[in-house]
Amino acid sequence: DALIRTLAPWLKENFPFALRVLPPAEYNQRWVAAGSNVNKLLTELHSECLCELHEKCGFKMAVVDRFSPSSPVSSRLRVAVPDLKVHEVPRAEQHAAVAAASVIARDAFIGNLEELSQQWAMDLPLGSGSPVPPAMRRFVQLHSPGEMRQVSKVHFKNVQTFLANH
């Protein structure tokens, strides 16, 4: 993550990019609006970014990580931007543009988590590992179970289990 925090500003200065940062509360709303389907939400976000970049740069081809066998980003953009050819490939981070996009996205995620930690006056750990359950307990002690929607993706199993017991 330290290297990502160093690389991301350089990438953003030297290459065009489009970024969507969804704080957890907005993510949860958009996830519900997408039929509680992560792939539909990812399709929307990828498509928004690619349309924005296409308007800025006019590129004719894009590579994105394939997160669904139905290649939903290609299908959606075939209508929205007919002159753009989208290739959805597994493990697309092997392509420099996708790797760079991943670095920029991770940097934004880390920055957002830092902001949330300051806003809610506690360290919010990354991921779903062993530091998360104690952090959720501490969060509920300081705030409330209902406010968990402001700091976590509520469709994650560990969050659902925790909330079911609180």
Side-chain angles (χ1 to χ4, degrees):
D1 284 346
L3 183 56
I4 281 173
R5 300 296 282 186
T6 301
L7 284 174
W10 180 84
L11 289 167
K12 292 192 288 190
E13 285 177 21
N14 290 285
F15 298 96
F17 70 96
L19 180 64
R20 298 295 181 273
V21 177
L22 300 183
E26 184 180 349
Y27 174 93
N28 292 326
Q29 290 171 346
R30 289 205 53 188
W31 175 73
V32 169
S36 301
N37 184 313
V38 173
N39 285 349
K40 286 183 181 178
L41 179 55
L42 284 172
T43 299
E44 290 174 16
L45 296 170
H46 278 74
S47 298
E48 288 173 12
C49 288
L50 286 169
C51 284
E52 180 181 325
L53 270 174
H54 185 265
E55 287 178 23
K56 284 183 190 176
C57 307
F59 57 87
K60 300 293 181 197
M61 186 181 76
V63 177
V64 298
D65 195 37
R66 184 173 66 195
F67 51 84
S68 170
S70 65
S71 299
V73 177
S74 301
S75 297
R76 174 172 275 190
L77 290 177
R78 200 172 294 123
V79 174
V81 188
D83 65 324
L84 177 61
K85 178 120 173 103
V86 178
H87 297 279
E88 294 183 60
V89 296
R91 293 176 296 285
E93 289 84 5
Q94 65 186 330
H95 298 275
V98 178
S102 294
V103 168
I104 291 170
R106 178 72 178 183
D107 178 63
F109 169 74
I110 294 167
N112 185 254
L113 195 60
E114 288 171 354
E115 289 173 20
L116 286 170
S117 291
Q118 288 179 355
Q119 178 185 345
W120 292 93
M122 65 173 287
D123 289 330
L124 298 171
L126 296 166
S128 61
S130 61
V132 172
M136 286 192 287
R137 286 190 295 276
R138 179 79 177 133
F139 184 88
V140 168
Q141 288 170 346
L142 293 172
H143 305 290
S144 74
E147 290 179 307
M148 288 283 292
R149 295 181 177 285
Q150 304 300 312
V151 297
S152 63
K153 295 177 179 176
V154 294
H155 67 82
F156 282 8
K157 192 68 157 173
N158 61 342
V159 175
Q160 288 178 348
T161 300
F162 179 81
L163 290 175
N165 295 316
H166 288 85

